[in-house]
């Protein structure tokens, strides 16, 4: 299946405005590397997504949320048809969360708050900001999930991980992947 790419999103709104959106994203869709002046939460209500920075890749299967702090260049890739919910966190609230990209489990209150933020328009002034404060309180109390894949430093291993990022369902053996990267059978453990 061909990969769909989208250029970096348009500039973020002012920090006092929380950008919120919901969309069904097709399998293989990806956002090219970009960064924001605000923080970003992406919740996979269904499907899965991977968020990649220079520090590695954070995988968020259904009912997990990725957190990307302000200033981190990152890219997203979606697996399966994904019900993606995006919430921008104004810079003045980002200090309440961890200072590095991460993944969190989504409990019932956090799930409902994320869905409410992304499903309906704000009808009372300040309601979205108050609901966002609930999301931040929930995330601040939730332990990080260990769904992080560090970026390799060895060029051959980086070639293998690039192949697997491009096609996670690839049925190649470790030896096949090693040969594709220019490594010998012995280097691959075969």
């Amino acid at each position: 299946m061909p990969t769909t790419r989208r250029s970096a999103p348009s500039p973020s709104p002012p920090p006092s405005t929380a950008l919120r959106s919901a969309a069904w994203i097709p399998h293989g869709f990806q956002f090219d590397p970009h960064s924001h002046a605000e923080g970003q939460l992406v919740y996979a209500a269904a499907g899965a997504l991977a968020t990649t920075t220079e520090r590695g890749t954070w995988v968020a299967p259904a009912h997990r949320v990725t957190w990307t702090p302000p200033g981190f260049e990152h890219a997203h890739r979606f697996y399966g048809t994904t019900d993606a919910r995006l919430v921008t966190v104004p810079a003045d609230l980002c200090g309440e969360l961890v200072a590095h990209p991460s993944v969190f489990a989504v409990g019932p209150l956090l799930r409902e708050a994320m869905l409410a933020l992304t499903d309906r328009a704000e009808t009372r002034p300040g309601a979205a900001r108050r609901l966002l404060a609930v999301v931040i309180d929930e995330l601040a109390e939730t332990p990080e999930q260990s769904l992080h894949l560090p970026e390799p430093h060895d060029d051959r291993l980086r070639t293998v991980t690039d192949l697997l990022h491009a096609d996670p369902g690839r049925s190649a053996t470790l030896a096949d992947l090693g040969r594709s990267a220019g490594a010998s059978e012995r280097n691959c453990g075969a």
Side-chain angles (χ1 to χ4, degrees):
M1 174 180 236
T3 300
T4 306
R5 291 184 178 268
R6 180 175 166 177
S7 300
S10 58
S12 299
S16 61
T17 305
L19 176 67
R20 308 173 318 266
S21 65
W24 283 93
I25 309 289
H27 172 74
F29 187 89
Q30 63 188 50
F31 287 94
D32 290 332
H34 60 282
S35 64
H36 308 280
E38 295 86 16
Q40 185 180 70
L41 296 167
V42 183
Y43 170 50
L49 72 112
T51 299
T52 301
T53 75
E54 80 259 353
R55 292 189 182 188
T57 298
W58 284 261
V59 179
H63 306 296
R64 300 287 190 274
V65 64
T66 63
W67 162 241
T68 307
F72 273 87
E73 185 170 283
H74 61 285
H76 300 293
R77 183 177 174 111
F78 298 86
Y79 298 94
T81 302
T82 303
D83 180 4
R85 308 304 180 109
L86 179 132
V87 174
T88 297
V89 178
D92 63 311
L93 298 177
C94 291
E96 302 292 323
L97 299 174
V98 295
H100 56 272
S102 53
V103 173
F104 297 93
V106 175
L109 179 57
L110 180 56
R111 177 185 189 283
E112 293 305 317
M114 290 291 292
L115 293 176
L117 270 172
T118 56
D119 277 344
R120 63 181 185 219
E122 183 175 48
T123 56
R124 292 182 357 179
R129 179 110 174 167
R130 290 189 299 274
L131 194 50
L132 180 58
V134 170
V135 166
I136 291 169
D137 284 347
E138 284 295 295
L139 287 171
E141 298 294 322
T142 302
E144 293 177 61
Q145 299 289 304
S146 59
L147 299 170
H148 171 238
L149 304 169
E151 285 299 309
H153 298 290
D154 181 275
D155 289 338
R156 294 170 297 181
L157 185 54
R158 195 175 1 239
T159 299
V160 169
T161 59
D162 288 346
L163 291 169
L164 293 172
H165 278 295
D167 182 10
R170 186 183 198 102
S171 62
T173 66
L174 183 58
D176 292 338
L177 289 168
R179 279 191 293 279
S180 295
S184 70
E185 293 270 336
R186 196 173 104 184
N187 293 114
C188 296

